[in-house]
Amino acid sequence: QLKDKEGRLTLASWVEKQQAAIDLFASHAEELGYKPELIKQITPEAMLGVIHAEIFTDLNAETFVRLAPVLFETYNVAYAPAMGDKKFSGGLAQMTAETFEGILKKHRGELERIRDTDTGAAFLVPTNGNRAEFSAAMLTDEDSQFFYNVFVLAENARLATRGIAKDKRFVDAWAKATEDERARYMGSLISMANNLPSAAKNAAEASLKEHPESLGEMAARLSGIKITRMKMI
């Protein structure tokens, strides 16, 4: 499936396509049950953090950012499947087939309606049990992979923040934070949640306990945490 995809997407073209998918998802966020202010924090830059955490952990952040254009073209990053993963993970968000099945089971009606009524929607909604369609939507069909990348990260972020989002200390710290601090916080949290949402949730709660008045300090705390138990959702 990947043999004709080599070097197809540069970093610049990936950013453009992924941003379009983010905008599409954001325009239907409430319909799908997500808060627009949460989706606002899912950006191509935040997704690059996920790529770094998933595929290029041996590189420090600055080196990864500097080399990202070369890595995209050399290693075909946009279509990177999880190597040796027995749970069928594919795509930059490393979504398993089981996760995909759960999304479709819960949101099939909304997804089909969006696909059929929004002229900008070109993603696939696979039929039940069709693994070939699942694989295409998770990995090789660009419109689908980019859209479902956002979907998975949105769900992970929701799971990771559902407790602290109602905590007055966090609400106050978020309100007085700069946009840069918010972006750093969510970028760190999303990268963690992609591996294990429950661990990211615990880390977010711990960072809030230690730094209840500063989102910037919470972000720094999250950035220093490494999850040792890697588990794809």
Side-chain angles (χ1 to χ4, degrees):
Q1 285 182 305
L2 290 171
K3 64 182 180 181
D4 66 337
K5 298 290 185 181
E6 188 172 355
R8 184 69 57 85
L9 282 179
T10 63
L11 175 60
S13 60
W14 172 80
V15 169
E16 180 180 350
K17 291 173 181 288
Q18 190 62 75
Q19 184 62 62
I22 292 170
D23 292 341
L24 173 64
F25 189 92
S27 67
H28 297 282
E30 291 184 281
E31 179 182 352
L32 293 166
Y34 297 89
K35 295 181 178 179
E37 56 266 32
L38 173 63
I39 307 307
K40 180 182 177 182
Q41 302 304 321
I42 299 178
T43 64
E45 291 82 0
M47 298 182 81
L48 277 175
V50 174
I51 296 171
H52 181 225
E54 289 291 345
I55 306 173
F56 297 104
T57 53
D58 290 339
L59 299 177
N60 64 47
E62 289 185 2
T63 300
F64 170 72
V65 170
R66 189 173 66 254
L67 293 180
V70 177
L71 296 173
F72 262 75
E73 294 185 41
T74 304
Y75 294 100
N76 205 15
V77 172
Y79 304 99
M83 304 305 293
D85 189 351
K86 297 179 180 179
K87 294 188 175 184
F88 314 105
S89 289
L92 299 183
Q94 299 295 288
M95 174 171 55
T96 68
E98 288 80 4
T99 299
F100 201 3
E101 288 172 342
I103 287 175
L104 293 175
K105 182 177 181 180
K106 184 176 181 180
H107 297 285
R108 179 175 293 278
E110 295 95 330
L111 289 169
E112 290 179 341
R113 184 164 56 253
I114 293 168
R115 179 200 60 192
D116 294 340
T117 59
D118 190 322
T119 56
F123 56 81
L124 303 174
V125 183
T127 54
N128 292 336
N130 191 322
R131 286 299 172 112
E133 291 183 3
F134 272 53
S135 180
M138 291 166 62
L139 191 60
T140 57
D141 182 83
E142 288 181 6
D143 291 309
S144 299
Q145 189 210 136
F146 294 161
F147 179 79
Y148 290 116
N149 277 346
V150 185
F151 208 137
V152 172
L153 296 183
E155 177 62 8
N156 286 347
R158 184 189 70 81
L159 292 172
T161 60
R162 60 183 174 181
I164 62 170
K166 299 177 182 179
D167 191 302
K168 185 178 184 304
R169 296 171 300 170
F170 182 81
V171 172
D172 291 344
W174 181 275
K176 68 181 183 182
T178 66
E179 284 300 312
D180 182 64
E181 289 173 329
R182 293 173 183 173
R184 288 177 180 274
Y185 179 88
M186 289 304 299
S188 298
L189 191 66
I190 287 171
S191 293
M192 296 178 69
N194 190 54
N195 289 317
L196 198 59
S198 60
K201 178 177 180 292
N202 292 338
E205 291 172 351
S207 69
L208 175 62
K209 183 177 181 179
E210 289 187 15
H211 306 286
E213 297 183 354
S214 171
L215 193 72
E217 291 182 357
M218 289 184 223
R221 169 77 154 77
L222 289 176
S223 296
I225 295 175
K226 293 187 181 298
I227 298 177
T228 55
R229 179 185 171 213
M230 303 295 282
K231 177 182 178 183
M232 304 305 180
I233 67 167

